[in-house]
Amino acid sequence: MGLQQFKYKTIQFFFPTYAGFVKQLVKNKINNLFNSKKDHKFLFILCSKFCGTTLMNQVICTSKSVSENNHNLTREGQQIPKVREVMFKDNRWDESVKYDWKYIKKIWMKYWDLRKPILLEKSPPNLLRAQDIKKVFSPSYFIISYRNPYAHYESLMRRDNMYTPKSAAEFTIKCLKFQKHNIETLDNSIVISYEEFTNDPSKLVSKISTLLPELNDIDIEKKFSAHNLLNSKMKITNLNNQKIKLITKEELKIINTVFEKEKELLDYFNYQIIK
């Protein structure tokens, strides 16, 4: 074990709350002390869970101008120590729950590499609270993304055991309603669906570099390790068809009792009812 690794292990032993984040915190503390930029742009990916946000985050982070606040696993700022106790609760998908964003920003600033001009954050429940976020993070920019609700439904049922078929379908509709509101009210934003992103990744680069020219060096040709249906490192790929095929006829009947009532909303996002 090298001296540097020994130091990190020692710090983690005495401060177990920060296990997994010690190296990031120490490096940022040193780097930000001497080389930090004064003017930053805050970039938020607004997208529901299981809709490609981890993959999109990894793709954007190929740019040399970006710093993400959490390098671990799902790459979500809501799971950072101290913030986790505030944001990562069972009620995080309740839009009536309010957060102290000034406190959260103070913590996140320790985890971002402030030498980078673009500070990236990706926590799915943020899509419920974009209006509050932009009041504290200035200037703030947003990527608004969404996914075919049938594919979204399949991920919810397979990866999260808290849903019934009906409640999973209702959750997908809830997210689309909030995204519609975000599309119609947020400035400094781009809109790109999961399908558009995965079918033609160059569209993400085109749109995002128009919003933030600093991000014109994104690399879309790499293979990425974001968790996916196939559990393998792969290039950017649309997995919707494989997911939708896993939905049973019985499930489809239940889903459509929810979706058929929201046909106008699905039309807004160019999605069709599957019979």
Side-chain angles (χ1 to χ4, degrees):
M1 181 185 298
L3 179 60
Q4 197 77 343
Q5 189 176 4
F6 175 76
K7 289 179 181 179
Y8 292 139
K9 292 287 185 182
T10 303
I11 295 172
Q12 285 186 189
F13 177 80
F14 288 104
F15 300 97
T17 301
Y18 298 94
F21 293 92
V22 170
K23 188 174 182 179
Q24 181 180 350
L25 282 171
V26 173
K27 287 181 68 175
N28 283 351
K29 184 73 172 178
I30 296 171
N31 292 331
N32 296 342
L33 189 62
F34 301 104
N35 302 309
S36 64
K37 294 181 177 293
K38 293 183 179 180
D39 299 321
H40 296 96
K41 297 176 181 179
F42 299 94
L43 177 59
F44 293 86
I45 299 175
L46 301 181
C47 187
S48 180
K49 55 186 176 180
F50 313 143
C51 288
T53 55
T54 304
L55 174 61
M56 186 178 292
N57 179 286
Q58 290 182 354
V59 172
I60 293 171
C61 285
T62 61
S63 170
K64 296 179 181 179
S65 298
V66 173
S67 173
E68 59 182 332
N69 55 13
N70 186 354
H71 306 311
N72 297 321
L73 299 175
T74 57
R75 299 171 174 243
E76 297 172 2
Q78 67 176 348
Q79 298 196 37
I80 283 175
K82 300 297 183 181
V83 172
R84 182 184 180 91
E85 289 82 349
V86 177
M87 294 183 69
F88 201 66
K89 293 182 176 181
D90 290 342
N91 64 0
R92 61 188 178 276
W93 286 101
D94 179 353
E95 61 272 23
S96 68
V97 175
K98 301 297 182 182
Y99 297 150
D100 183 347
W101 287 108
K102 290 183 179 180
Y103 169 78
I104 292 169
K105 180 182 179 182
K106 181 179 178 181
I107 301 298
W108 281 348
M109 293 300 286
K110 299 176 183 178
Y111 289 82
W112 277 313
D113 181 349
L114 301 183
R115 297 174 299 173
K116 309 289 187 178
I118 310 297
L119 307 182
L120 178 65
E121 151 61 7
K122 189 271 295 187
S123 296
N126 286 347
L127 73 89
L128 308 178
R129 303 177 174 90
Q131 301 298 330
D132 293 332
I133 288 172
K134 73 176 186 178
K135 294 175 184 176
V136 175
F137 295 84
S138 180
S140 55
Y141 298 79
F142 300 94
I143 301 173
I144 304 170
S145 189
Y146 48 88
R147 189 176 194 170
N148 182 297
Y150 290 94
H152 188 192
Y153 163 90
E154 190 282 329
S155 290
L156 290 167
M157 294 299 293
R158 179 170 50 85
R159 298 173 59 185
D160 198 332
N161 60 12
M162 67 178 285
Y163 294 99
T164 64
K166 186 172 185 291
S167 66
E170 290 171 341
F171 182 82
T172 67
I173 292 297
K174 174 179 179 175
C175 292
L176 288 178
K177 286 181 176 179
F178 270 91
Q179 292 296 59
K180 181 176 184 289
H181 178 71
N182 288 332
I183 290 169
E184 295 173 349
T185 60
L186 288 175
D187 298 322
N188 295 335
S189 64
I190 62 169
V191 180
I192 185 165
S193 68
Y194 168 88
E195 297 78 32
E196 189 178 10
F197 163 47
T198 53
N199 289 337
D200 185 0
S202 66
K203 287 187 177 180
L204 174 67
V205 179
S206 176
K207 288 188 175 186
I208 200 170
S209 59
T210 300
L211 181 70
L212 294 165
E214 299 93 334
L215 301 183
N216 61 4
D217 61 336
I218 290 174
D219 182 2
I220 57 176
E221 300 301 328
K222 294 176 63 176
K223 289 186 176 181
F224 297 92
S225 59
H227 35 263
N228 56 64
L229 182 67
L230 305 179
N231 291 317
S232 62
K233 194 172 183 178
M234 58 194 299
K235 298 193 76 171
I236 301 170
T237 306
N238 185 339
L239 296 176
N240 278 359
N241 287 339
Q242 292 95 314
K243 286 176 167 290
I244 293 173
K245 287 179 181 178
L246 297 175
I247 299 174
T248 67
K249 291 182 179 179
E250 290 74 19
E251 287 179 295
L252 197 59
K253 290 179 182 177
I254 298 171
I255 296 169
N256 284 343
T257 62
V258 177
F259 287 177
E260 285 171 354
K261 296 176 183 177
E262 301 291 345
K263 188 176 183 305
E264 186 176 341
L265 179 68
L266 267 61
D267 288 343
Y268 180 90
F269 290 98
N270 294 316
Y271 294 126
Q272 305 299 316
I273 300 290
I274 297 176
K275 297 292 186 181

